[in-house]
Amino acid sequence: MDLGREKCWGNSKDSWRTTLVLAYQSLGVVYGDLSISPLYVYKSTFASDIHHSETNEEIFGVLSFVFWTLTLVPLFKYVFIVLRADDNGEGGTFALYSSICRHAKVSLLPNQQTADESLSTYKLKQPPESEKSNRSKVKMLLEKHKSLHTALLILVLLGTCMVIGDGLLTPAISVFSAVSGLELSMSKQHHEYAVIPITCFILVCLFALQHYGTHRVGFFFAPIVLLWLICISGLGLYNIFVWNPKVYKALSPYYMYKFLKKTKTRGWMSLGGILLCITGSEAMFADLGHFSYAAIQIAFSFLVYPALILGYMGQAAYLSKHHQMAYDISYFVSVPESVRWPVLVIAILASVVGSQAIISGTFSIINQSQSLGCFPRVKVVHTSDKKHGQIYIPEINWILMVLCIAVTIGFRDTKHLGNASGLAVMAVMMVTTCLTSLVIILCWHKPPIVALCFLFFFGSIELLYFSASLVKFREGAWLPILLALFLVTIMFVWHYATTKKYQYDLQNKVSLEWLLALGSSLGISRVPGIGLVFTDLTSGIPANFSRFVTNLPAFHRILVFVCVKSVPVPFVPPPERYLMGRVGPASFRSYRCIVRYGYRDVHQDVNSFESELVNRLTDFIRYDWSRPEAASDGHEDGGFRSSRSSGEQMLAVIGSLEGFEEHESITQVSVSLGFPTVESMGDIIEMNMNPRRVRFADDDGDDEGGDLRDVQMREELQDLLDAQQSGTAFILGHSHVKTKQGSSILKRLAINFGYNFLRRNCRGPDVVLKVPPASLLEVGMVYVV
């Protein structure tokens, strides 16, 4: 069940019954990773830095740290603060970045238009008068310095890369820790030869089943996690009452002080293992769009949090009376032997569920990065027609599988895996803290002192844990750092080159006067069919079209310049997706279509896009000829007049009747004039229309001008129908990018080698759009940037 869209449109609040159902469903998707952390927290903490002694100061100190870490970070920070920083119901790193970009001009995305601000999902809350001065100073500082824009993007990319690193490490440590429970049932020699192969086999099966999608087995996930939470809480209560009922005293912060006083530097270094108790906390925010704020809050506060605390307390109670376990602190030693095998099976299943959640999250965040032009094009398969956001990326899946198995075989123990995973988790949390601080000022309009308090309090906690992980650089923590540097380099190079290509297109676009000078035939023979010219420009004539016209003597009767662009919102309502306009007079049969997608939107395949485009074009033609201003625009005589020096035409947002029925909160007709774009000034008229309600002539039927427009409209619609039946050609640019002479060595390496290598080895735009080879025309272009 996906309520992300419903939240975007602001429908009625969830009933309590629906909220409770969502809270139950969130167990399998959101809390799988967090719930299995008891398997490896104590074992990672006591791996080498500290040892369990008869005084119990170490085990009680670790329990106190675990309790307060779980209370302050997942409960206070995420449940009560960060979850409120949603973007139209969506959460995650890109949701925070999107909100910031809408409230301050810090986005590095190309082809942004002021018209995008009229989207119903483009929420901008005005600050109170008392807060405008402080907020404006921070906003002006961010907008003034371009270097801060780049630094903000790099910060977001760093958080994204750490999430990908977590998607690599979490399955390895989760499954390995669960399978390690076999060590209590076999000899050490057999255990060493059995655990690694079994772990690798489970990981191969896990990744091999990804193409089926989580929706096919998703109904198993929540019961498994619920059963696991019942197990750890029940076992925790058992161990507390049987072994040490007074273990609750260790929840006092005083035991943290005693722990650090006794262990000193070794205790600080052991924090790298303690922080693993909050792995998976980021999933509460990242998966917010699939559930609701209330559902995630209820599930964590009343079930997950108490179960985890009882589980950790039970382990501590058992270990406080079993000091002979000083070098064998495993979760399964505290499980009674009579139920050890059932608990082992449930633990393995829960680890698979937790791994599944982080793998799906990795697919999702890579898809978002790709939508915002920050990741090379990869194949995205939508595994569910009913659930939005259920995707599978084959290339990433198999790369993750190979790396995950390599890490498992290479590290071979919980200690190194825990060090690597802990650093990745804490880096993501620090990025979220920094971005949330900006959201508090720019979006919530709170005083900067509030944001500084939030940043200082939670940032200090996370920095303490991050430093403890960073010290273990040579013991596994190097892996997420190396992976993050590699991925950030790829993503930044791709984004930098994409931006430079757009700037080149912008500087070399052809003016509309050049098109008008060609005449109604555009200077060439017009052949039957529809020609779709894909470009990143939202105005002007792309250079690749002029190159095409210069070298070929024929073109299609219907010409559409298509710009598929991303906007900094999670979703664009279908009725507001298409911006339509003319390029030249009506006799040219040339149009512009801007297709807007949010970073979580599902892009249409070529067949549905083609039919949808023709339908929207039909609606626009009917609307355009029905306007009273049609005569002044020169439709009747085939002439053309424009009051804008750039020659840009009026654009209309054309929606469908189905859109109204699904999203009732969107107004049917709204008119806004004089929207500027990044490239030009143009009139934007928004109209969500039902074609059957459009009037083509005056009521009395005596208006000869109206009759003439009606005839011309029907001729244009007939031309469009005939062209559609003749077929559609997709004209895409086939680019090669190289640097200018005199460019720096770093720029030459990034563009000439890095970007071109990625471009040659990733999927081309024709593959992404699934364009049939028979309908594809590629125009070669050399970009000198």
Side-chain angles (χ1 to χ4, degrees):
M1 187 172 183
D2 185 0
L3 295 185
R5 289 184 177 275
E6 292 181 12
K7 290 182 69 175
C8 285
W9 317 138
N11 284 358
S12 60
K13 295 182 179 179
D14 300 331
S15 65
W16 275 106
R17 182 178 179 181
T18 304
T19 301
L20 291 176
V21 171
L22 287 175
Y24 169 73
Q25 292 177 335
S26 69
L27 294 177
V29 177
V30 178
Y31 298 110
D33 188 11
L34 184 61
S35 65
I36 59 177
S37 56
L39 289 174
Y40 45 78
V41 169
Y42 283 132
K43 189 169 185 178
S44 297
T45 304
F46 290 93
S48 60
D49 300 313
I50 57 175
H51 299 288
H52 181 37
S53 65
E54 294 184 0
T55 62
N56 288 329
E57 288 184 351
E58 293 85 359
I59 191 66
F60 286 166
V62 170
L63 175 60
S64 185
F65 265 105
V66 168
F67 172 76
W68 286 106
T69 303
L70 277 170
T71 302
L72 293 176
V73 179
L75 187 62
F76 287 173
K77 176 189 170 183
Y78 279 94
V79 171
F80 293 120
I81 300 177
V82 175
L83 285 183
R84 298 181 181 274
D86 66 299
D87 182 16
N88 292 280
E90 293 297 321
T93 305
F94 278 105
L96 294 172
Y97 182 62
S98 173
S99 297
I100 294 170
C101 289
R102 294 204 304 273
H103 288 81
K105 297 178 181 178
V106 296
S107 175
L108 295 177
L109 290 176
N111 60 36
Q112 297 302 296
Q113 300 169 282
T114 308
D116 299 335
E117 298 179 10
S118 62
L119 291 168
S120 59
T121 50
Y122 204 106
K123 294 180 180 178
L124 290 176
K125 181 181 177 183
Q126 295 300 321
E129 292 295 330
S130 59
E131 302 297 338
K132 279 189 176 181
S133 59
N134 291 330
R135 172 183 173 273
S136 60
K137 292 179 181 178
V138 176
K139 181 180 178 181
M140 289 174 59
L141 179 65
L142 286 174
E143 294 179 344
K144 181 179 179 181
H145 301 283
K146 295 294 184 182
S147 58
L148 293 179
H149 302 183
T150 304
L152 184 61
L153 177 65
I154 293 177
L155 181 66
V156 173
L157 296 182
L158 180 62
T160 301
C161 295
M162 286 298 181
V163 171
I164 298 173
D166 196 20
L168 162 66
L169 295 167
T170 294
I173 189 173
S174 300
V175 178
F176 182 84
S177 299
V179 176
S180 294
L182 295 172
E183 65 185 349
L184 301 178
S185 304
M186 60 179 65
S187 64
K188 184 177 180 181
Q189 182 179 4
H190 288 90
H191 171 258
E192 292 178 352
Y193 290 106
V195 171
I196 297 297
I198 293 175
T199 301
C200 293
F201 174 76
I202 294 175
L203 290 173
V204 169
C205 293
L206 175 64
F207 284 99
L209 294 174
Q210 290 300 312
H211 69 280
Y212 289 108
T214 58
H215 68 288
R216 300 186 186 275
V217 291
F219 63 92
F220 287 119
F221 286 2
I224 290 174
V225 176
L226 179 61
L227 185 60
W228 171 249
L229 291 173
I230 293 173
C231 278
I232 62 174
S233 57
L235 291 170
L237 286 171
Y238 171 82
N239 287 323
I240 290 172
F241 286 112
V242 170
W243 299 111
N244 193 348
K246 295 184 179 181
V247 72
Y248 67 88
K249 294 182 179 180
L251 302 183
S252 170
Y254 175 67
Y255 282 86
M256 291 193 292
Y257 167 75
K258 291 181 64 177
F259 172 78
L260 292 176
K261 183 179 180 181
K262 179 179 180 180
T263 58
K264 296 182 173 58
T265 304
R266 294 180 294 107
W268 165 65
M269 295 177 65
S270 70
L271 295 179
I274 295 174
L275 68 86
L276 295 176
C277 70
I278 53 176
T279 57
S281 300
E282 186 73 20
M284 287 191 289
F285 186 47
D287 294 325
L288 180 61
H290 295 288
F291 301 98
S292 67
Y293 170 73
I296 292 179
Q297 187 180 44
I298 290 172
F300 183 79
S301 302
F302 296 101
L303 180 59
V304 178
Y305 177 74
L308 288 174
I309 297 300
L310 288 174
Y312 287 115
M313 289 178 66
Q315 283 184 268
Y318 178 87
L319 294 172
S320 67
K321 300 298 182 181
H322 293 80
H323 303 102
Q324 71 275 15
M325 301 293 180
Y327 298 98
D328 189 20
I329 298 182
S330 170
Y331 175 78
F332 294 99
V333 299
S334 63
V335 179
E337 191 172 352
S338 59
V339 296
R340 190 168 290 165
W341 277 102
V343 172
L344 175 62
V345 173
I346 297 174
I348 293 175
L349 292 175
S351 68
V352 170
V353 172
S355 302
Q356 173 63 56
I358 193 65
I359 293 170
S360 299
T362 303
F363 292 157
S364 178
I365 201 165
I366 288 177
N367 185 45
Q368 295 174 37
S369 305
Q370 181 180 243
S371 299
L372 295 176
C374 297
F375 200 86
R377 290 181 294 267
V378 291
K379 181 181 180 180
V380 178
V381 179
H382 300 279
T383 58
S384 175
D385 296 330
K386 296 180 180 179
K387 291 189 178 182
H388 182 80
Q390 298 273 345
I391 61 174
Y392 164 68
I393 304 178
E395 298 98 320
I396 302 300
N397 181 68
W398 301 122
I399 291 175
L400 281 178
M401 185 191 75
V402 172
L403 292 178
C404 194
I405 293 175
V407 167
T408 303
I409 297 175
F411 284 159
R412 288 177 172 266
D413 63 6
T414 308
K415 173 187 171 182
H416 289 82
L417 288 171
N419 293 338
S421 179
L423 189 138
V425 168
M426 202 48 60
V428 174
M429 290 186 176
M430 292 176 65
V431 170
T432 299
T433 300
C434 294
L435 295 178
T436 304
S437 302
L438 291 176
V439 169
I440 291 174
I441 299 174
L442 300 174
C443 306
W444 293 356
H445 313 300
K446 301 297 181 182
I449 188 64
V450 176
L452 286 176
C453 290
F454 174 84
L455 179 63
F456 177 77
F457 181 76
F458 291 107
S460 299
I461 296 172
E462 292 161 359
L463 190 60
L464 175 66
Y465 282 117
F466 183 78
S467 63
S469 295
L470 198 59
V471 169
K472 300 182 179 180
F473 179 84
R474 298 177 62 183
E475 300 177 16
W478 58 268
L479 180 61
I481 296 176
L482 182 64
L483 183 64
L485 289 176
F486 178 71
L487 289 175
V488 165
T489 302
I490 290 177
M491 297 171 77
F492 189 76
V493 165
W494 185 268
H495 181 271
Y496 175 78
T498 302
T499 304
K500 288 296 182 181
K501 281 179 58 182
Y502 173 75
Q503 293 174 355
Y504 181 91
D505 281 334
L506 197 60
Q507 295 169 0
N508 292 273
K509 68 179 181 180
V510 181
S511 65
L512 187 62
E513 285 70 18
W514 173 84
L515 183 68
L516 296 175
L518 297 178
S520 60
S521 65
L522 298 184
I524 55 178
S525 301
R526 305 295 290 272
V527 299
I530 300 176
L532 303 180
V533 182
F534 284 82
T535 175
D536 290 330
L537 299 177
T538 57
S539 67
I541 310 300
N544 62 349
F545 174 74
S546 63
R547 184 183 183 91
F548 188 92
V549 171
T550 304
N551 291 277
L552 293 178
F555 209 80
H556 299 84
R557 185 71 184 98
I558 301 295
L559 180 63
V560 185
F561 295 98
V562 181
C563 173
V564 180
K565 56 176 283 188
S566 295
V567 290
V569 295
F571 303 104
V572 174
E576 303 176 43
R577 188 176 308 284
Y578 289 84
L579 268 170
M580 308 295 297
R582 293 188 184 275
V583 179
S587 59
F588 277 33
R589 302 294 191 260
S590 300
Y591 311 91
R592 184 179 305 283
C593 174
I594 300 175
V595 189
R596 301 179 289 187
Y597 287 102
Y599 55 82
R600 281 189 180 270
D601 269 323
V602 177
H603 287 229
Q604 296 166 290
D605 58 43
V606 66
N607 294 324
S608 61
F609 172 74
E610 181 182 345
S611 59
E612 186 76 6
L613 177 63
V614 172
N615 291 337
R616 295 292 175 267
L617 196 53
T618 301
D619 295 344
F620 169 75
I621 292 171
R622 288 174 173 170
Y623 161 70
D624 194 43
W625 281 104
S626 67
R627 291 185 303 116
E629 296 86 356
S632 64
D633 285 344
H635 287 81
E636 285 86 343
D637 57 2
F640 176 74
R641 304 184 188 98
S642 175
S643 61
R644 294 172 289 277
S645 60
S646 64
E648 282 303 307
Q649 302 309 300
M650 175 188 65
L651 296 174
V653 178
I654 303 297
S656 63
L657 180 62
E658 292 76 6
F660 296 124
E661 296 172 351
E662 185 177 357
H663 310 293
E664 298 175 356
S665 63
I666 300 175
T667 56
Q668 182 172 353
V669 178
S670 61
V671 179
S672 303
L673 298 177
F675 279 115
T677 69
V678 174
E679 305 162 17
S680 63
M681 294 290 294
D683 295 335
I684 307 295
I685 297 183
E686 296 187 3
M687 181 172 183
N688 296 312
M689 59 173 288
N690 177 2
R692 292 172 293 184
R693 298 180 183 176
V694 178
R695 293 169 54 214
F696 304 125
D698 291 345
D699 293 337
D700 55 11
D702 295 332
D703 189 344
E704 294 182 1
D707 292 338
L708 179 58
R709 291 199 301 272
D710 191 21
V711 172
Q712 292 178 327
M713 179 199 69
R714 295 180 184 279
E715 290 179 354
E716 188 170 2
L717 290 175
Q718 187 61 46
D719 287 344
L720 178 61
L721 178 61
D722 294 341
Q724 183 184 18
Q725 294 174 348
S726 299
T728 302
F730 295 80
I731 296 91
L732 288 82
H734 186 81
S735 60
H736 177 75
V737 185
K738 64 179 183 180
T739 56
K740 297 178 181 178
Q741 290 185 352
S743 299
S744 64
I745 297 178
L746 188 62
K747 184 176 180 179
R748 291 202 301 269
L749 287 174
I751 300 296
N752 296 346
F753 297 97
Y755 176 76
N756 284 318
F757 175 81
L758 293 173
R759 181 187 57 80
R760 287 192 302 268
N761 291 277
C762 72
R763 294 180 181 268
D766 56 319
V767 178
V768 175
L769 293 170
K770 299 179 182 178
V771 178
S775 303
L776 175 65
L777 290 174
E778 289 188 309
V779 182
M781 286 288 294
V782 177
Y783 290 82
V784 181
V785 298

